[in-house]
Amino acid sequence: MLEIRNLHARIAESGTEIIRGLNLTVKAGEVAAIMGPNGSGKSTLSYILAGREDYEVTEGDILYNGESILELDPSERAAKGVFLAFQYPVEIPGVATMQFLKVAINEQRKARGEEELKTPDFMRLVKEKAGELKIDPDMLKRPLNVGFSGGEKKRAEILQMKLLEPKLCVLDETDSGLDIDALKIVSDGVNALRSPDRAIIVITHYQRLLEHIVPDSVHVLYKGQVIRSGDKELAAELEANGYADIIDAAA
Amino acid sequence: MNMQAKIQRTPAEQGLMDAFDALVSELPGDSAVTARRDRLMADFGDKGLPSRRIEAWHYTDLRTLLRAVPDHLPGETADEIDPVLAGSHVLPLIGGRYVEPREIEGLKVASFRDALSGGTATESLAPLREDDVIGRLNGAFVMDGYTLTLAAGSAPEKIMELQSVQNGGQAHGRFRLEAEAGSRATFLERHAGGEASGLTSSVSEIDLAEGVELVWIIVQERGLEDTHLAQLRAKLAADAKLTVYVINMGGKLVRQEVDVMVEGEGAHFDLRSINLLAGQSHTDLTLTLGHVVPNTTSEEIVRNVVLDRARGAFQGQIRVAREAQKTDAQMSCNSLLLSDDGEFDAKPELEIFADDVVCAHGATVDDLDPVHLFYLAARGVPEKIARALLIKGFVEELLDELDDEALSDALRERVENWLDAHV
Ligand SMILES: Nc1ncnc2c1ncn2[C@@H]1O[C@H](COP(=O)(O)OP(=O)(O)OP(=O)(O)O)[C@@H](O)[C@H]1O
Ligand SMILES: [Mg+2]
């Protein structure tokens, strides 16, 4: 489903290279975990997948279902099923969450040539999905993410994911800021989305999340490259020993 | 003898003098009013229109910007229009004239024309200050308007829409409201125009007695060729609460002044302003706010969207008198500048003579936030729609604060219509 080939990318403004020859393949139906020390380029990779213009791809390619998506703008990628749950969800004053959700759902439908969702159907859908995530409906009347607690923001990201039903989900540190119960609720939400035609990439620092969302593969990112890949045992090994050994071995 | 060389009158200044001469015999009022009008016009003849050298007019050089004035006569026929919120009580002022008294429970309604003839309006015709050219011109020319009294303790459920519609020509109207103790109401002061180029002046005077809670919403939708000079004067007694909205989305040359005196302890004043500026228009919002007693508060939030070659200015002057301890005044002015040729100037001015006060102000001019745009795009919202959503959010945030949801929705719709047509 996703194939990243020898990807090099730099910050457009300064020219600093962050991603330095990264290779990663994730198949449909797979849950892949990406781990790695702070500053190794995990969020940058997720932004590049989503199409953020601040980064410039200088070499390599990103294939999504066999086609390069580098030329697509972020909204086109989203309409094709790429979804990024942000590490730091953005607060947008003045735009009510409900209104935003409706526009997002219907713009994606339009882009795919599908019919728009009627208001009552939309309301029913949101109510159902918000209920599953134990999100207070009053929160959705408020401006998007404004004044939401850290955990509420993360839950709102997962709500969006459930509503938009993307095919490639990238979750950037969705577990940070969640309390123990919320971690369970969010993990259940993600697990419910596991399906043979969907790939999920979870970026995390902690083994704890991977006990709830059990990955099929684990990849260690360091200085803009995947330096080691393995199965879920690799995450346990990292939890026990830290990154030093792996980094030394790769050097 | 005046030894200074007489400044050449501009065509607009001359036009106003001529219009007054032509009209003077028709203008209503008793002899005191007539004498007052003559004096105002004589002052105008001496002082003329203010240029940018007059500080209060620094951003709006009226002398240069007002090129000519239309003939004084009413202009094209105009009709009462649908109120902003369906079901409102409409008090129309069509072509500058009072239409007919309406029965509204709790509200006494009379024409300002009667007040001019009945000797109760003379004092209010005086300008607020030396440089108050809007008060001066309106005082000289005012033909009609409404005199309203909101009975003590009354709380009309519906909104009263004071509707001034003018298509071309000149009109000079006045709205006076006396809100007696403990009353509550929402008024909407609407200025609508047409295709023809017109000149309007409007002065509203509102007096809030103890404990009054009033919402006063100015919706300015004058025509593309119109000049609109308006002033709101408000006084707040103890524990009164006044919320003023100024929504500018029309006109070619617009100045709205808001002059507020917070005179009673425990009183609170809020100003919310949305200025949607497009084309070659020039729009000026000028606030002068006085906190003169202890324990009063105010908050002013101004949001501007600037397109094309439009220009806008906000001057916000807050004076806190020496006695006015514990004043809390917060002012902010944020502009979205969506065109390289547009401009918005903000000039906050705090004159604080008391020592135990909290006053703050801030002004920003920005383009849309790329991080916001990216977030929306990452959810599948195309750029054009994302931009529109963010611009609407930026200004509509202020409308969310209105308690009356139906009214806030109705205003939102007008703002969105404007944005859909211009962005
Ligand atoms: N727009 C930018 N401007 C400057 N530096 C940037 C920018 N984006 C990323 N970087 C730098 O690139 C490096 C990788 O950052 P990134 O956010 O991708 O790390 P990360 O692996 O997600 O870290 P963390 O685990 O702390 O979230 C860091 O050194 C960061 O400071
Ligand atoms: Mg990160």
Side-chain angles (χ1 to χ4, degrees):
Chain A
M1 171 164 269
L2 176 71
E3 200 183 335
I4 304 175
R5 289 186 188 157
N6 187 31
L7 188 71
H8 288 259
R10 60 187 190 192
I11 299 167
E13 207 171 57
S14 61
T16 311
E17 188 165 64
I18 308 285
I19 303 297
R20 303 181 176 95
L22 186 146
N23 291 288
L24 179 71
T25 301
V26 183
K27 291 199 274 300
E30 185 176 337
V31 174
I34 295 181
M35 305 183 79
N38 295 130
S40 55
K42 303 181 297 298
S43 293
T44 304
L45 175 65
S46 70
Y47 286 142
I48 293 169
L49 287 171
R52 190 164 178 160
E53 279 173 5
D54 305 45
Y55 305 98
E56 193 178 31
V57 172
T58 52
E59 213 183 311
D61 208 346
I62 301 174
L63 304 181
Y64 172 65
N65 291 331
E67 283 173 42
S68 173
I69 53 168
L70 290 181
E71 296 303 315
L72 301 181
D73 71 30
S75 65
E76 290 168 329
R77 294 182 196 197
K80 282 188 180 291
V82 178
F83 181 92
L84 165 63
F86 283 60
Q87 181 174 2
Y88 303 108
V90 177
E91 298 193 0
I92 306 193
V95 178
T97 308
M98 273 308 232
Q99 184 197 9
F100 157 76
L101 291 174
K102 188 152 181 242
V103 172
I105 289 177
N106 282 332
E107 287 304 323
Q108 290 205 12
R109 285 177 160 248
K110 261 198 275 179
R112 292 195 293 257
E114 299 164 14
E115 234 182 274
E116 290 186 32
L117 210 56
K118 302 234 163 29
T119 303
D121 296 333
F122 164 76
M123 299 293 278
R124 198 167 337 108
L125 189 67
V126 173
K127 211 176 148 208
E128 180 196 317
K129 305 282 180 196
E132 288 168 11
L133 291 168
K134 304 223 163 32
I135 289 175
D136 179 359
D138 278 346
M139 199 174 99
L140 303 177
K141 291 185 193 148
R142 284 160 47 191
L144 185 57
N145 290 326
V146 177
F148 290 14
S149 75
E152 286 170 344
K153 281 181 186 164
K154 296 301 175 82
R155 259 190 255 202
E157 293 288 288
I158 299 305
L159 172 63
Q160 292 176 33
M161 189 167 91
K162 287 173 79 107
L163 288 168
L164 296 168
E165 300 184 319
K167 287 289 180 278
L168 173 65
C169 312
V170 183
L171 280 64
D172 191 359
E173 292 198 28
T174 298
D175 51 339
S176 65
L178 290 181
D179 65 41
I180 296 159
D181 294 338
L183 185 69
K184 177 88 176 53
I185 292 165
V186 164
S187 302
D188 290 348
V190 175
N191 284 329
L193 282 173
R194 290 180 95 141
S195 90
D197 64 347
R198 180 175 285 130
I200 300 174
I201 298 175
V202 250
I203 297 173
T204 183
H205 287 294
Y206 304 108
Q207 163 70 13
R208 201 183 49 189
L209 176 73
L210 302 181
E211 279 160 14
H212 292 286
I213 306 173
V214 180
D216 300 302
S217 61
V218 175
H219 309 270
V220 178
L221 196 64
Y222 179 66
K223 292 196 174 162
Q225 285 186 327
V226 173
I227 57 164
R228 174 99 178 259
S229 296
D231 60 13
K232 64 179 197 294
E233 299 308 324
L234 177 56
E237 189 188 321
L238 291 170
E239 179 86 3
N241 306 327
Y243 291 107
D245 295 351
I246 290 176
I247 291 170
D248 288 346
Chain B
M1 260 299 278
N2 188 348
M3 297 301 289
Q4 267 178 309
K6 199 87 187 145
I7 304 171
Q8 186 90 37
R9 277 203 183 114
T10 66
E13 285 165 347
Q14 192 57 53
L16 285 163
M17 307 283 296
D18 293 346
F20 186 76
D21 288 342
L23 258 180
V24 66
S25 58
E26 289 173 44
L27 291 172
D30 60 12
S31 59
V33 165
T34 307
R36 175 62 62 103
R37 290 185 193 274
D38 288 342
R39 200 155 79 233
L40 290 168
M41 218 47 209
D43 284 348
F44 178 77
D46 285 346
K47 296 187 170 64
L49 291 166
S51 75
R52 61 185 304 119
R53 269 172 301 182
I54 308 287
E55 207 193 334
W57 292 84
H58 181 72
Y59 296 99
T60 301
D61 188 324
L62 197 60
R63 195 158 193 271
T64 311
L65 291 170
L66 187 63
R67 297 254 162 81
V69 297
D71 285 342
H72 65 274
L73 285 165
E76 312 293 316
T77 43
D79 292 312
E80 187 179 320
I81 53 179
D82 287 338
V84 168
L85 181 63
S88 303
H89 289 294
V90 178
L91 299 155
L93 194 66
I94 306 291
R97 300 206 178 223
Y98 174 89
V99 177
E100 62 184 84
R102 314 255 163 144
E103 279 290 324
I104 301 170
E105 212 183 306
L107 190 72
K108 212 167 86 199
V109 181
S111 83
F112 189 70
R113 176 173 279 260
D114 291 344
L116 288 166
S117 320
T120 55
T122 323
E123 279 319 306
S124 75
L125 296 186
L128 287 174
R129 288 173 290 269
E130 262 304 90
D131 56 16
D132 175 14
V133 74
I134 296 179
R136 182 171 295 128
L137 284 175
N138 183 274
F141 281 96
V142 62
M143 303 165 201
D144 210 339
Y146 283 89
T147 306
L148 307 165
T149 311
L150 191 58
S154 67
E157 216 172 276
K158 289 187 180 174
I159 289 166
M160 272 68 65
E161 177 166 317
L162 301 162
Q163 190 181 88
S164 143
V165 188
Q166 177 73 16
N167 188 9
Q170 283 188 39
H172 306 273
R174 254 189 208 231
F175 301 118
R176 291 181 90 184
L177 169 67
E178 203 173 311
E180 294 177 353
S183 57
R184 306 173 57 145
T186 299
F187 286 83
L188 194 143
E189 176 186 331
R190 176 105 172 267
H191 296 280
E195 314 261 288
S197 151
L199 168 71
T200 45
S201 80
S202 178
V203 172
S204 298
E205 299 165 77
I206 59 183
D207 236 310
L208 283 72
E210 247 180 70
V212 169
E213 280 187 32
L214 201 70
V215 178
W216 188 275
I217 296 173
I218 299 174
V219 177
Q220 186 275 116
E221 301 172 301
R222 304 276 300 142
L224 286 177
E225 295 301 323
D226 283 330
T227 297
H228 180 67
L229 303 171
Q231 188 176 75
L232 172 68
R233 306 173 180 174
K235 287 195 173 104
L236 281 70
D239 299 319
K241 185 170 184 291
L242 172 65
T243 303
V244 172
Y245 274 77
V246 175
I247 303 174
N248 278 312
M249 44 185 170
K252 171 145 192 158
L253 171 57
V254 175
R255 165 119 158 170
Q256 172 73 55
E257 299 178 352
V258 177
D259 182 86
V260 178
M261 291 296 283
V262 184
E263 302 177 330
E265 283 202 43
H268 178 76
F269 168 67
D270 271 324
L271 173 70
R272 300 289 180 270
S273 180
I274 294 174
N275 298 291
L276 306 178
L277 314 181
Q280 308 241 31
S281 61
H282 180 107
T283 306
D284 174 324
L285 173 67
T286 292
L287 169 76
T288 41
L289 168 62
H291 286 275
V292 297
V293 296
N295 300 311
T296 63
T297 51
S298 72
E299 186 184 40
E300 298 76 37
I301 306 178
V302 179
R303 294 275 167 95
N304 316 298
V305 176
V306 186
L307 304 166
D308 309 328
R309 307 181 64 84
R311 291 193 52 170
F314 168 62
Q315 303 184 97
Q317 187 199 65
I318 303 181
R319 280 167 285 119
V320 179
R322 196 191 327 255
E323 313 77 74
Q325 300 296 1
K326 305 275 182 214
T327 293
D328 184 332
Q330 308 288 333
M331 177 160 66
S332 71
C333 176
N334 310 102
S335 307
L336 264 186
L337 198 55
L338 300 176
S339 146
D340 291 340
D341 300 318
E343 187 178 326
F344 200 97
D345 296 296
K347 184 186 169 203
E349 207 181 327
L350 303 181
E351 292 180 12
I352 301 173
F353 298 102
D355 44 33
D356 184 13
V357 301
V358 184
C359 289
H361 65 78
T364 61
V365 178
D366 289 307
D367 196 349
L368 289 169
D369 186 336
V371 174
H372 290 177
L373 284 168
F374 172 65
Y375 188 80
L376 294 175
R379 297 296 177 254
V381 184
E383 182 170 356
K384 193 171 157 45
I385 291 168
R387 290 182 73 86
L389 203 60
L390 292 175
I391 296 166
K392 287 173 187 173
F394 172 72
V395 292
E396 288 173 11
E397 207 182 348
L398 302 190
L399 300 175
D400 293 343
E401 294 179 31
L402 280 168
D403 288 335
D404 184 338
E405 218 170 296
L407 175 62
S408 131
D409 287 346
L411 291 168
R412 187 172 293 115
E413 192 183 319
R414 303 201 81 76
V415 165
E416 294 199 354
N417 286 344
W418 191 96
L419 289 169
D420 288 340
H422 291 85
V423 177

